[in-house]
Amino acid sequence: MARYNPKEIEPKWRSRWATEDAFATETDPSRPKYYVLEMFPYPSGRIHIGHVRNYAMGDVVARYKRARGFNVLHPMGWDAFGLPAENAAMQTGGHPEKWTRDNIEVMREQLKSMGLSIDWRREFATCDVGYYRWQQKLFLDFWKAGFVERRESYVNWDPVDMTVLANEQVIDGKGWRSGAEVERKKLSQWFLTITSMADDLLAALDDGRLDGWPDNVRLMQRNWIGKSKGLQMKFHFADGMKAPDGADGVEIFTTRPDTLYGASFIAVAPDHPLAQSYAADDKAVAAFIAECQKTGASQEAIDKAEKKGVRLPLEAEHPFAKGETLPVYVANFILMSYGTGAIFGCPGHDQRDHDFAVKYSLPIIPVVLPEDADATSFSVAEEPYVGPGEIYNSGFLNGMTVEAAIEAAIAKIEAAGDGKGTTQFRLRDWGVSRQRYWGCPIPAIHCEKCGVVPVPEKDLPVKLPDIDAKEFSIPGNPLDRMPEWRNVPCPECGGGARRETDTFDTFVDSSWYFTRFATDPDAWPNAPVDKQDAEYWLPVDQYIGGIEHAILHLLYARFFTRAMRQCGYLSVDEPFANLFTQGMVTHATNRELIKTDWPVQSDEGNVQTVHSAAELVEKAVNSFARIDFDNGAVKRGQVVMLGGWLLPEDCDRINAEPGKAVQRGPIEKMSKSKKNVVSPEAIADTYGADAARWFMLSDSPPERDVEWTEAGAAGAWKLVARIWEAVEPAEGALKAHDFSKPPVTASEAELSLRRATHQAIAGVTEDIENFRFNKAIARIYEFLNALKKAPPLRRPDGSPANGPRAEAFAQAEALSALARLISPFTPHLAEECWERLGGDGLICRAPWPEADPALLVKDEVVMPIQVNGKRRAEISVAADADPKTVEAAALSDEAVKRHIDGLTVRKVVVVPGRIVNIVAN
RNA sequence: GCGGGCGUGGCGGAACCGGUAGACGCAACGGACUUAAAAUCCGUCGGCCGAAAGGCUGUGAGGGUUCAAAUCCCUCCGCCCGCACCA
């Protein structure tokens, strides 16, 4: 028997698919469409195993839907702009574009070797001028439509690298690359007004438009948008006081106007105009603001920061309690970016306000009484009460519930003309400016006379200028240093002007790429998308990607789709009808241990005892650890020093060295620094792409993380070999039978195999439809086991099949189904099997097998019999037997009789086809 | 702190709408083949008692609803994820 050799067979089929253009797709309104898309990769250098899992899932869906008769669009491209290319350029002295293009070349070949059924004609990179010019056009359209604004905003500024940093790039207040103290700097930036659509973006999460999305993603988006209803109102300063800037009061936002009677202070954010207006002349205020700005940059340290403030020489009038006034503070816990940047503090019913009141000895007045509390003894002096209850100590609000009091307070403020009920969103507008070279230039021109003007459409594209590679090793944005590119005449007045040197956030690039894929590349229109193509293909029917994009990318794409619709390009508002978020691929880590000669009982001060591998790896960095758990590598009680991470192939060598050992570390996401990366090529080299795909889908549910193990990969390879062994002897088996006319089956063995076949078809189909690839694979194993167990069967004419087993109809039918059921998972193997069996054409074009419902139902069923809830026997009855008959059969069973002996049968529950429970005592 | 999710053999995981818990795979163990090993094939495989038949027990812990609970409800413990001074 010829051993299956993926190294020869896999490339053979890939070139067949290529020469036959098997996966090229055309817009064809006469056929039902299916658009399956995996989030396109960033060309970071090489494909990793996580990509394999992601694209294998999409490919299963694409191949399955194709077999079901859909016109399937399954494209691939590159999210090619971005910071890493510039960093690489800086380090290697190269050019970001060269680095990016080289990576794309490598990664395209790697992806192709996975056997993905992709229409490669549609490939593009977001750094292609042919793509980003249309992004510039969209931006101009959005500008006209009012979705673009320019405004001042704070950024994290690295003064050494002279660049803006994302929050994630600020570590402990310092730039991640330069280590320089990060400054907060106010810059004029471009914004897309995503908040203008906040209401609809939120509404679609719950009104059925996104039913095909996971609940957790919808929830995350809901929280991110963060709608809250409340009151925006003005507190007037008492006695005609005015701030240095002339303000006679301050606007605040609250969701708890019911607690207004509990107010004991007003607080504004350090960035608030009121605070700023005092800062010029008041040293204490200025110092406080400066201090806030230092700590303001980092994120989680805020939580531990003490609530602090500085008093302004102002008093505000209480809106209800005439004559009462409230002190006004600048406080470090108020955010300028939410609401109005100012609040009233109610220490009795808010933790932060409580902390603040305690520190500055402000009154703490309870105004909400919990249901079972007593008004005379209830106290909020120790901690605030935030639950429901009855309003008291509150004038006209007394006796109301919280909800009713909120309504009443809003009504009263509105009547007085001091404010109104409003809705606030947590969502902020999307700042798209990046002070970077390697991105899509923002098509705008700054003119002294005319202000900021759009680049006229006839002048598009604004291409990135060619830049000498050595420019990238100088800090700052190279575009700022290119007068020949930067200096242009103003399109309006013709005078001297300069180009915008900011480029777009790369999230802009990925917010509409899926619409571009839908546009036929052989007839690219003079527009971002082709209307007919978009009409046919959108929305994406199945989108697949990592959960890390649950908020930003998916929200931006939803916004873009709406904006494109308003500009007349699309007729859908939701881009992704169904979303699936897959888990990561993890792998065991290994760590070097260096044993010491220290006595086991040593009590040196710098030795800590650790109780697990995870703890050891986490804590024992640069110190000594006493091992207090069994691990084989070292003795319990041994004191060790932790060395570096180890590649799996180095472990044996280290273990052999005296005084050293290998500690298996925690199972983690693959990363270069932890040396636990497994390259897809290495797997494909050993076992083939099919085995790699199979393994990535087999063990865990797709949404969960999967651990890569050598044994698992080997197991997948074994499956490939087993299938080939089952198919190989049955050469030409399909040609010997007419599958449209199954024989009238006589033998129980044949019928049983046919049942297994049709159950497998039904099961695998359902599991693929529901994204349960691990279960689909389990069913294929079950089916293969049944197929192997099936005895040699009879030929259609009834004579014994003494020759190859596949001569019998049931065998041939089973093998035909098997080849097609595996084809989405292991496409190369499936083609080879199909050819061997004598199937017509390519299996990637063959129709999906249909399950015969008649073969899915059994005439007889085995029913368990319980006595008082405990399983005592089994009986076999006709599937359609009526409950009375089943009950009688159950009661007459010998084992059942034994268990009810001496008891009275009180009740018999018969669940047809399922179970019988006899209640007796 | 707020919001959400999850706890099932040695491991990854099955179990439709409450109806035979542990499908399928991995590991392990026993056997066959082999001079031997690998590969392959056959078999066993939650725990306890038992030669077996069979019995008891068992889905993080405790309680409840039900003829019947991994599944529903309550309390607790543990782990994971998201947001995080959002007024």
Side-chain angles (χ1 to χ4, degrees):
Chain A
M1 179 190 285
R3 197 174 158 83
Y4 185 79
N5 182 358
K7 276 192 188 167
E8 280 172 24
I9 290 167
E10 292 187 348
K12 175 180 89 181
W13 290 108
R14 285 198 293 270
S15 71
R16 269 290 289 285
W17 295 330
T19 52
E20 297 203 18
D21 256 349
F23 309 120
T25 307
E26 306 271 338
T27 296
D28 179 0
S30 71
R31 294 177 59 200
K33 65 94 184 183
Y34 197 89
Y35 184 179
V36 54
L37 181 68
E38 301 95 60
M39 290 178 186
F40 66 165
Y42 177 77
S44 57
R46 308 189 77 72
I47 292 294
H48 58 78
I49 199 83
H51 289 120
V52 174
R53 191 169 190 221
N54 189 198
Y55 300 126
M57 284 180 196
D59 202 44
V60 167
V61 174
R63 287 177 180 272
Y64 166 75
K65 288 289 177 181
R66 223 174 263 122
R68 293 307 294 259
F70 287 91
N71 188 22
V72 170
L73 174 57
H74 187 210
M76 180 62 69
W78 309 96
D79 188 12
F81 275 133
L83 199 54
E86 281 187 77
N87 291 337
M90 214 185 287
Q91 274 160 10
T92 63
H95 191 287
E97 173 149 26
K98 174 156 181 12
W99 182 84
T100 304
R101 299 277 174 198
D102 287 351
N103 287 347
I104 289 174
E105 287 305 311
V106 171
M107 290 172 75
R108 184 193 300 114
E109 286 318 302
Q110 290 182 301
L111 279 184
K112 284 190 172 175
S113 74
M114 295 313 302
L116 304 175
S117 63
I118 282 168
D119 182 359
W120 284 102
R121 297 180 312 134
R122 292 171 189 261
E123 176 194 355
F124 63 78
T126 54
C127 62
D128 295 345
V129 179
Y131 179 75
Y132 75 67
R133 68 170 296 165
W134 297 115
Q135 188 161 303
Q136 293 171 338
K137 162 77 168 121
L138 285 174
F139 179 77
L140 297 180
D141 291 336
F142 288 4
W143 196 343
K144 259 183 242 158
F147 298 131
V148 173
E149 280 182 15
R150 212 174 140 67
R151 63 175 95 117
E152 301 260 289
S153 145
Y154 282 104
V155 295
N156 303 308
W157 179 258
D158 184 323
V160 171
D161 279 353
M162 296 211 286
T163 187
V164 170
L165 298 178
N167 284 334
E168 305 79 66
Q169 294 168 328
V170 181
I171 297 156
D172 290 336
K174 298 193 170 78
W176 67 301
R177 173 170 293 277
S178 67
E181 197 82 23
V182 170
E183 298 169 2
R184 290 182 79 219
K185 190 172 169 181
K186 216 168 198 181
L187 285 183
S188 234
Q189 306 243 81
W190 294 95
F191 284 86
L192 292 177
T193 57
I194 187 170
T195 53
S196 66
M197 293 187 186
D199 259 318
D200 193 56
L201 288 168
L202 185 68
L205 294 171
D206 293 306
D207 66 11
R209 278 180 275 175
L210 293 178
D211 277 356
W213 283 35
D215 289 343
N216 62 336
V217 175
R218 292 200 312 223
L219 182 75
M220 280 191 243
Q221 293 218 345
R222 200 175 301 131
N223 291 341
W224 188 261
I225 295 169
K227 181 176 183 170
S228 36
K229 285 187 189 160
L231 168 69
Q232 183 171 330
M233 65 167 290
K234 183 170 179 179
F235 273 78
H236 300 277
F237 298 142
D239 307 326
M241 284 191 227
K242 287 198 172 164
D245 64 355
D248 62 352
V250 58
E251 287 276 336
I252 62 97
F253 174 76
T254 179
T255 56
R256 293 295 300 276
D258 57 309
T259 63
L260 266 167
Y261 278 97
S264 54
F265 63 96
I266 301 288
V268 303
D271 298 336
H272 195 280
L274 194 63
Q276 297 289 330
S277 79
Y278 278 96
D281 292 323
D282 190 327
K283 274 190 192 159
V285 174
F288 180 73
I289 293 172
E291 187 193 324
C292 292
Q293 291 191 340
K294 253 186 220 163
T295 46
S298 74
Q299 296 160 5
E300 299 196 22
I302 295 169
D303 204 29
K304 287 141 204 157
E306 193 186 3
K307 307 276 178 284
K308 277 194 216 165
V310 60
R311 178 103 190 249
L312 296 178
L314 287 170
E315 296 283 331
E317 288 174 357
H318 193 284
F320 299 148
K322 290 299 160 206
E324 280 188 33
T325 61
L326 307 171
V328 180
Y329 287 83
V330 180
N332 64 348
F333 64 99
I334 310 300
L335 301 174
M336 194 56 219
S337 58
Y338 185 78
T340 61
I343 60 141
F344 79 81
C346 176
H349 304 282
D350 181 281
Q351 185 65 56
R352 296 154 301 177
D353 298 349
H354 196 274
D355 294 349
F356 192 80
V358 167
K359 180 161 173 82
Y360 294 102
S361 307
L362 297 163
I364 300 173
I365 312 153
V367 291
V368 183
L369 189 63
E371 200 182 328
D372 48 5
D374 172 43
T376 54
S377 62
F378 179 62
S379 165
V380 287
E382 292 303 314
E383 56 175 329
Y385 173 71
V386 295
E390 185 186 308
I391 305 295
Y392 72 131
N393 293 340
S394 293
F396 72 100
L397 299 173
N398 282 340
M400 295 184 192
T401 62
V402 166
E403 293 72 26
I406 288 174
E407 300 282 318
I410 291 175
K412 183 123 176 178
I413 294 291
E414 284 181 347
D418 286 332
K420 59 186 268 212
T422 53
T423 299
Q424 277 292 331
F425 292 97
R426 186 188 166 282
L427 182 68
R428 306 264 62 88
D429 276 332
W430 175 16
V432 293
S433 286
R434 296 293 180 271
Q435 290 68 32
R436 290 281 168 190
Y437 167 78
W438 192 231
C440 170
I442 297 176
I445 289 170
H446 301 266
C447 170
E448 297 258 326
K449 265 192 264 168
C450 312
V452 184
V453 296
V455 170
E457 283 187 23
K458 66 174 172 54
D459 293 341
L460 292 184
V462 178
K463 284 195 206 171
L464 279 176
D466 283 333
I467 287 192
D468 193 289
K470 64 176 186 288
E471 285 288 326
F472 295 104
S473 48
I474 305 168
N477 183 351
L479 293 176
D480 283 334
R481 299 190 297 265
M482 298 202 67
E484 67 280 14
W485 183 80
R486 201 178 155 177
N487 297 332
V488 285
C490 169
E492 291 193 1
C493 70
R498 57 184 180 81
R499 272 192 199 289
E500 172 62 69
T501 56
D502 284 358
T503 52
F504 282 121
D505 176 8
T506 55
F507 275 115
V508 176
D509 310 338
S510 55
S511 289
W512 69 287
Y513 75 107
F514 46 91
T515 70
R516 187 70 177 167
F517 276 144
T519 296
D520 192 322
D522 292 339
W524 265 346
N526 201 27
V529 295
D530 178 89
K531 197 92 209 286
Q532 268 82 47
D533 286 339
E535 194 66 29
Y536 176 68
W537 287 113
L538 294 174
V540 173
D541 294 278
Q542 183 66 60
Y543 197 36
I544 307 171
I547 187 75
E548 67 273 18
H549 292 113
I551 297 172
L552 296 184
H553 162 58
L554 290 167
L555 196 59
Y556 294 150
R558 295 179 60 212
F559 162 72
F560 241 78
T561 305
R562 283 166 169 75
M564 285 175 78
R565 179 182 180 158
Q566 288 198 21
C567 293
Y569 291 107
L570 306 174
S571 58
V572 295
D573 52 13
E574 285 297 340
F576 312 119
N578 295 288
L579 173 70
F580 190 88
T581 54
Q582 99 277 5
M584 294 182 308
V585 183
T586 60
H587 187 210
T589 54
N590 293 291
R591 203 76 193 254
E592 181 179 346
L593 294 185
I594 298 144
K595 301 179 193 170
T596 67
D597 320 329
W598 295 6
V600 166
Q601 293 308 317
S602 164
D603 256 343
E604 303 284 330
N606 58 344
V607 174
Q608 47 184 329
T609 301
V610 295
H611 305 279
S612 70
E615 199 189 348
L616 172 62
V617 170
E618 184 193 329
K619 285 192 181 161
V621 180
N622 299 325
S623 70
F624 298 93
R626 180 181 297 109
I627 308 279
D628 188 29
F629 61 97
D630 290 317
N631 77 335
V634 290
K635 282 202 202 84
R636 187 183 284 237
Q638 173 93 45
V639 176
V640 299
M641 216 174 92
L642 196 62
W645 301 98
L646 293 173
L647 293 168
E649 57 265 36
D650 292 338
C651 291
D652 287 347
R653 183 173 56 75
I654 294 293
N655 261 331
E657 283 184 35
K660 289 192 178 171
V662 174
Q663 173 61 50
R664 228 178 124 92
I667 293 157
E668 300 210 50
K669 180 180 179 175
M670 290 191 190
S671 76
K672 260 185 210 163
S673 62
K674 296 198 171 146
K675 297 199 178 176
N676 65 339
V677 174
V678 177
S679 89
E681 286 119 314
I683 305 169
D685 234 39
T686 321
Y687 303 115
D690 282 339
R693 291 168 57 125
W694 181 266
F695 174 46
M696 279 299 99
L697 298 172
S698 64
D699 262 3
S700 287
E703 68 277 11
R704 234 178 276 182
D705 290 352
V706 62
E707 187 197 346
W708 191 89
T709 61
E710 184 67 38
W717 159 245
K718 228 158 67 177
L719 180 276
V720 169
R722 274 177 71 197
I723 288 180
W724 180 244
E725 276 164 29
V727 168
E728 204 253 10
E731 187 171 6
L734 301 195
K735 297 206 185 296
H737 299 275
D738 179 355
F739 287 96
S740 64
K741 290 179 203 145
V744 180
T745 49
S747 92
E748 187 45 48
E750 181 162 18
L751 196 58
S752 140
L753 179 55
R754 293 203 65 209
R755 282 210 187 98
T757 301
H758 287 263
Q759 269 159 14
I761 293 169
V764 172
T765 303
E766 195 195 330
D767 289 335
I768 292 179
E769 290 276 0
N770 291 305
F771 258 78
R772 294 189 295 232
F773 303 129
N774 57 322
K775 282 182 67 189
I777 280 174
R779 286 182 199 277
I780 291 171
Y781 274 111
E782 267 179 293
F783 179 35
L784 190 63
N785 290 342
L787 181 58
K788 284 185 67 178
K789 250 190 251 160
L793 300 174
R794 287 169 189 281
R795 293 203 173 100
D797 63 8
S799 62
N802 297 322
R805 298 201 305 187
E807 278 183 26
F809 178 90
Q811 289 278 2
E813 182 186 52
L815 291 170
S816 163
L818 178 66
R820 284 177 293 163
L821 292 179
I822 62 168
S823 69
F825 301 95
T826 55
H828 311 89
L829 171 66
E831 292 287 4
E832 188 71 13
C833 289
W834 193 243
E835 183 183 60
R836 182 82 183 171
L837 293 169
D840 282 338
L842 289 169
I843 200 169
C844 65
R845 293 196 176 118
W848 193 247
E850 296 281 344
D852 180 351
L855 288 163
L856 297 179
V857 293
K858 286 184 172 171
D859 310 336
E860 291 229 320
V861 289
V862 175
M863 287 175 77
I865 314 297
Q866 295 180 333
V867 176
N868 290 331
K870 291 185 180 180
R871 187 175 156 280
R872 296 297 181 192
E874 273 181 4
I875 56 169
S876 189
V877 296
D880 55 0
D882 74 293
K884 284 279 160 220
T885 318
V886 175
E887 183 177 330
L891 288 170
S892 60
D893 182 89
E894 284 306 320
V896 172
K897 277 189 193 160
R898 220 168 44 239
H899 281 96
I900 59 176
D901 187 36
L903 301 175
T904 314
V905 174
R906 301 288 174 192
K907 188 174 174 184
V908 179
V909 181
V910 178
V911 185
R914 285 256 174 230
I915 203 165
V916 179
N917 192 11
I918 297 163
V919 187
N921 58 18

